[in-house]
Amino acid sequence: SDGTSTISNYSSSNTYTFAPPTSGITISSAGLISGMALGTTYTVTAENTDCTSASSASFSNAAKLATPAVPTIASTAPTCSADGFSTISNYVSGVSYTFDPTGPSVAASGLISGMALGTPYTVTAGNTDCTSASSASFSNAAKLATPAVPTIASTAPTCSADGFSTISNYVSGVSYTFDPTGPSVAASGLISGMTLGTPYTVTAGNTDCNSASSASFSNAAKLATPAVPTIASTAPTCSADGFSTISNYVSGVSYTFDPTGPSVAATGLISGMALGTPYTVTAENTDCTSVASASFSNAAKLATPAVPTIASTAPTCSADGFSTISNYVSGVSYTFDPTGPSVAATGLISGMALGTPYTVTAGNTDCTSVASASFSNAAKLTTPAVPTIASTAPTCSADGFSTISNYVSGLTYTFDPTGPSVDTSGLISGMALGTPYTVTAGNTDCTSVASASFSNAAKLATPAVPTIAS
């Protein structure tokens, strides 16, 4: 309050006069003077009905002492990166600020330090004379809770699945934001919706704060598994076994056969297969192995009938030559070139033109043999004609004689009985008169049938020349 003045020897019977004259000044029964102008110097005299006192000593009332303003607190809410803090917004330098409870202090900027978070404080401002009323209660809140930076656990891809990522420190109720956008998080922390090969970061947020971004992460596509080998099997032919090829062969891929044994050339051709054995094959790289191929096998080359072996029988004097397929097999088809002949169940060939050369092949439903060696049938051997005998009767001057009238030079003529011979004219000599003969004509191969029997008669008997006895 302001200062006051009292007439300590106040008497209600006196009249008090103030100088300078001032209207409005009154004195209470206790002598308390009111109505004085603060800072104005007064004197006062006391008088009764008879006398007036000398003036009092000069006096004045001072205004009430300056009390610092009640501190005004400006509290700043906490952020995601800093605790809340408080400032005395009407801070005055030189004023003493006292905190309840004790501990904090105030910087020249009015910033309060040393507050225990969450503890309510009041503060008063004081000078050498006065202390203000306490400020409103205030406190500082701890910085807002920021979710932990998401920790990413990335699982590498396998041969059957793409890689995937999980937020290993996932917290339910926290909001996870991806950059670039798109993915989402399940309650297990598993991230879905990621584009393979695209790098992402993720932040965790609540209603107040967002974490720093996670380390960059991405999901790799599942490991490349070689294509299941496609087998192209070529059927056997009459000249070669069947074979198989990996038609989608890829260089650098490893091919494994079951059962083991075969190998693959750069063309995809498989070698080393056991004929008739079923195989499967898988393709593998450094990471993955394909599913096994369909089962496949190679068949042996088709059965080709044996090349026909021809047994040709030479002609005789009584029959043409003939040919037989000595390795004849029932059910095999035999084809002649030129066409015409046929084969009996014994292998005997009929229908051949004499002197014509033939070859023959043996065939089944699949294959035909190589042609046989050329062969032909010769006509039966030439038999000389039966000798025709021309016998000349004897004369009176000569014996009868015989001639082979169809004599052929170069033929051999054989007489029965032996003895006679034939000259180049066909004339037979050496015959015994009266002896019947037959003769055959022969060449190197054949002999004719014997001629009709013939003989030579002795010359006719001529009577003796008459002897005349005169």
Side-chain angles (χ1 to χ4, degrees):
S1 59
D2 296 330
T4 58
S5 295
T6 302
I7 299 174
S8 57
N9 56 350
Y10 174 79
S11 172
S12 61
S13 60
N14 290 335
T15 298
Y16 293 90
T17 301
F18 292 86
T22 300
S23 60
I25 294 179
T26 59
I27 305 171
S28 70
S29 60
L32 177 63
I33 302 169
S34 58
M36 290 175 62
L38 293 173
T40 299
T41 301
Y42 292 90
T43 59
V44 63
T45 58
E47 59 186 80
N48 51 28
T49 55
D50 297 311
C51 298
T52 298
S53 70
S55 294
S56 66
S58 178
F59 64 96
S60 62
N61 284 344
K64 66 182 178 181
L65 299 175
T67 298
V70 176
T72 302
I73 304 300
S75 289
T76 299
T79 65
C80 300
S81 58
D83 297 329
F85 61 93
S86 296
T87 303
I88 298 175
S89 57
N90 60 346
Y91 175 85
V92 176
S93 177
V95 169
S96 173
Y97 292 90
T98 303
F99 292 86
D100 182 18
T102 59
S105 60
V106 188
S109 62
L111 178 65
I112 303 169
S113 60
M115 290 175 65
L117 294 173
T119 298
Y121 290 87
T122 59
V123 61
T124 57
N127 53 26
T128 53
D129 298 312
C130 301
T131 299
S132 72
S134 293
S135 67
S137 178
F138 64 96
S139 62
N140 287 342
K143 68 180 179 181
L144 300 176
T146 299
V149 176
T151 302
I152 304 300
S154 289
T155 299
T158 64
C159 299
S160 58
D162 297 328
F164 61 92
S165 296
T166 303
I167 298 176
S168 56
N169 60 344
Y170 176 85
V171 176
S172 177
V174 169
S175 173
Y176 292 91
T177 303
F178 293 85
D179 181 21
T181 58
S184 59
V185 189
S188 62
L190 179 65
I191 302 169
S192 59
M194 289 175 64
T195 300
L196 294 174
T198 298
Y200 291 86
T201 58
V202 61
T203 57
N206 52 27
T207 52
D208 298 311
C209 302
N210 289 324
S211 71
S213 293
S214 68
S216 179
F217 63 99
S218 62
N219 287 344
K222 68 180 179 181
L223 300 176
T225 298
V228 177
T230 301
I231 304 300
S233 289
T234 299
T237 64
C238 300
S239 58
D241 296 329
F243 61 93
S244 296
T245 302
I246 298 177
S247 57
N248 60 345
Y249 175 85
V250 176
S251 178
V253 168
S254 175
Y255 292 90
T256 302
F257 292 85
D258 181 19
T260 59
S263 58
V264 189
T267 59
L269 178 65
I270 302 169
S271 60
M273 289 175 63
L275 294 173
T277 298
Y279 291 86
T280 59
V281 60
T282 57
E284 58 192 74
N285 53 26
T286 52
D287 298 311
C288 302
T289 299
S290 73
V291 172
S293 69
S295 180
F296 63 99
S297 62
N298 287 344
K301 69 181 179 181
L302 301 175
T304 300
V307 179
T309 303
I310 304 300
S312 290
T313 300
T316 66
C317 299
S318 59
D320 296 329
F322 61 92
S323 296
T324 303
I325 298 176
S326 58
N327 60 345
Y328 175 86
V329 176
S330 177
V332 169
S333 173
Y334 293 91
T335 303
F336 293 85
D337 182 20
T339 59
S342 60
V343 189
T346 59
L348 179 64
I349 303 169
S350 60
M352 290 175 63
L354 293 173
T356 299
Y358 290 87
T359 58
V360 61
T361 57
N364 53 26
T365 53
D366 299 310
C367 302
T368 299
S369 72
V370 174
S372 68
S374 179
F375 64 98
S376 62
N377 286 343
K380 68 181 178 181
L381 299 175
T382 302
T383 299
V386 177
T388 303
I389 304 299
S391 291
T392 300
T395 66
C396 294
S397 59
D399 295 327
F401 62 90
S402 296
T403 302
I404 298 175
S405 58
N406 60 344
Y407 175 85
V408 176
S409 177
L411 292 182
T412 299
Y413 292 90
T414 303
F415 293 86
D416 183 21
T418 60
S421 61
V422 187
D423 67 12
T424 57
S425 64
L427 178 64
I428 302 169
S429 61
M431 288 176 63
L433 292 174
T435 298
Y437 288 88
T438 59
V439 62
T440 59
N443 54 24
T444 54
D445 297 310
C446 301
T447 299
S448 71
V449 174
S451 67
S453 179
F454 65 96
S455 62
N456 287 341
K459 67 182 178 179
L460 299 176
T462 300
V465 175
T467 303
I468 303 301
S470 294

